[in-house]
Amino acid sequence: MSFAGRTILASSIAKTFNEEIIAKVKTLVASNPTHRKPLLVGFLANEDPAAESYAKWTQTTCESYGIDYELRRVANKDYLEESIFDANRDDAVDGIMIYFPVFGNAQDQYLQQVVAKEKDVEGLNHVYYQNMYHNVRYLDPATKLQKSILPCTPLAIIKILEYLKVYNTLLPQGNRLYGKTAVVLNRSEIVGRPLAALMANDGATVYSVDINNIQKFTRGQGLKFSKHQVQDLGDNTSELLKEICQDADVIITGVPVANYKFPTEYIKEGAVCINFSFHKNFNDDVKGKASLYVPSTGKVTISMLLRNMLRLIDNTNAAKGITSSSSVEGKVAAMDISKQA
């Protein structure tokens, strides 16, 4: 008897966030004396087709949500840093993002830190990264008024897993991936490693795979929100990859190579498969093994980016001492977009 799983499009998942974002933007505009819309600025200093496509998606989504978007192209990469500083100082700019890669080396990591923490919609600032890896969910743990920002694509994949009911909502927050095993093929500092840490912090056993080796991410012992731990399992061989995939409930791919295809025979019957690479990492026959297959995540990533920007505005209001009753968060508290991530 043949099996046919379901293909779930990112556009369908992103729709679940439309109402909350649109309502929150309307509240922001109505509460602003000048009725100014939130402004997101994107910096593009490369000719990467994936970045160009991402920029177009961002603009289209912003416009549909009532958010102003401005793409600033920087022909000379050496001037990008000063352009970011200008946006940091501009009170009219609520969020800033950079389309990577720019230099394609460690200098890109420096540029991530140039963006002001208060405007970093991508969640790449070192403060946010430190909080994420140590499972600290608030900038102000005592009052819990300012939520720490999470990187967009890892957050998008978490939200996709929630949408697909991989997260067990009967369990308390921080434990909702308990008993789940996942394999993540990508260990970049932008997506793969943060994603493995986030899933491990929520209780999953995560095998993080890159071209060199395979690491096992698990949550540490003790308190519910304890920091994850990492174990090196050795070189990435086809035998080891096949072995760790045998019991994997979730397989997530992000291999940035056009001709890479994940071996369909490694997929456990009924597993959930998600691809966040610009390239198609699964063969079409994945639908005969996976119960649920998400071929791309881009549109959910953009929704998370805009959601992050609205949270940054809330954080700024909280830092200024605006009470919850008068802040955007208070006015739309019924939507509670900050339940978990």
Side-chain angles (χ1 to χ4, degrees):
M1 181 177 177
S2 61
F3 174 82
R6 288 186 58 194
T7 298
I8 311 294
L9 299 180
S11 56
S12 300
I13 302 172
K15 286 179 181 178
T16 63
F17 300 99
N18 287 0
E19 184 177 344
E20 74 176 36
I21 294 174
I22 291 172
K24 203 164 172 72
V25 169
K26 287 180 178 178
T27 302
L28 268 173
V29 174
S31 63
N32 190 306
T34 64
H35 297 291
R36 179 179 70 83
K37 296 179 181 179
L39 172 61
L40 173 64
V41 171
F43 286 99
L44 183 60
N46 63 45
E47 297 181 359
D48 182 5
E52 189 76 39
S53 176
Y54 188 18
K56 290 179 180 178
W57 282 350
T58 309
Q59 180 175 3
T60 300
T61 306
C62 282
E63 292 172 351
S64 68
Y65 288 167
I67 294 171
D68 284 338
Y69 173 79
E70 183 180 329
L71 179 61
R72 299 183 182 178
R73 297 179 183 270
V74 182
N76 188 333
K77 298 176 182 180
D78 292 330
Y79 293 129
L80 178 56
E81 180 180 3
E82 187 58 40
S83 298
I84 296 170
F85 281 136
D86 289 340
N88 284 342
R89 293 188 290 260
D90 188 349
D91 291 338
V93 177
D94 297 295
I96 298 171
M97 65 178 299
I98 305 170
Y99 295 100
F100 292 105
V102 177
F103 293 94
N105 55 30
Q107 196 166 346
D108 283 4
Q109 297 177 23
Y110 168 73
L111 288 173
Q112 294 168 13
Q113 306 311 313
V114 172
V115 178
K117 173 171 62 71
E118 295 76 14
K119 299 187 180 186
D120 176 20
V121 297
E122 297 181 283
L124 302 178
N125 184 275
H126 72 278
V127 172
Y128 298 139
Y129 258 52
Q130 180 174 323
N131 282 353
M132 176 192 65
Y133 281 123
H134 288 268
N135 211 1
V136 177
R137 305 195 177 196
Y138 294 90
L139 296 176
D140 53 345
T143 61
K144 295 185 178 180
L145 294 176
Q146 299 181 61
K147 203 76 183 286
S148 195
I149 303 300
L150 293 175
C152 301
T153 302
L155 177 57
I157 296 170
I158 294 299
K159 290 302 178 185
I160 289 170
L161 291 171
E162 290 180 355
Y163 179 90
L164 299 179
K165 309 300 183 185
V166 175
Y167 270 71
N168 185 351
T169 56
L170 296 178
L171 295 174
Q173 290 182 8
N175 285 308
R176 290 179 174 173
L177 285 181
Y178 180 78
K180 301 292 185 181
T181 299
V183 175
V184 179
L185 282 88
N186 178 293
R187 202 183 304 137
S188 68
E189 295 300 329
I190 302 294
V191 185
R193 190 189 298 274
L195 176 61
L198 286 170
M199 295 179 69
N201 285 342
D202 279 335
T205 296
V206 185
Y207 294 95
S208 173
V209 181
D210 75 358
I211 194 170
N212 296 314
N213 66 352
I214 297 178
Q215 296 179 344
K216 182 179 180 181
F217 284 58
T218 54
R219 193 173 59 200
Q221 300 297 318
L223 297 175
K224 182 176 67 172
F225 291 143
S226 56
K227 178 182 179 296
H228 69 279
Q229 297 179 343
V230 180
Q231 176 187 359
D232 195 334
L233 300 184
D235 293 343
N236 177 7
T237 64
S238 57
E239 292 81 8
L240 181 56
L241 180 61
K242 182 178 182 180
E243 179 184 346
I244 64 173
C245 288
Q246 288 179 349
D247 297 319
D249 305 291
V250 181
I251 296 177
I252 302 170
T253 59
V255 181
V257 179
N259 61 357
Y260 175 81
K261 299 296 180 184
F262 183 83
T264 305
E265 63 270 22
Y266 290 5
I267 301 173
K268 183 180 75 170
E269 291 280 353
V272 171
C273 293
I274 300 171
N275 173 56
F276 67 83
S277 172
F278 178 70
H279 304 287
K280 187 178 178 182
N281 284 170
F282 289 102
N283 287 304
D284 289 337
D285 59 359
V286 65
K287 302 170 187 177
K289 295 289 288 288
S291 59
L292 299 170
Y293 169 50
V294 181
S296 66
T297 62
K299 292 188 177 180
V300 182
T301 296
I302 294 174
S303 293
M304 293 303 102
L305 183 144
L306 299 180
R307 191 170 176 267
N308 276 351
M309 185 171 73
L310 298 179
R311 179 158 289 154
L312 287 171
I313 294 173
D314 282 344
N315 286 352
T316 298
N317 287 340
K320 291 178 179 178
I322 300 176
T323 62
S324 59
S325 60
S326 60
S327 68
V328 176
E329 186 73 21
K331 290 182 179 181
V332 290
M335 287 184 294
D336 191 14
I337 70 172
S338 60
K339 287 183 179 177
Q340 179 173 349

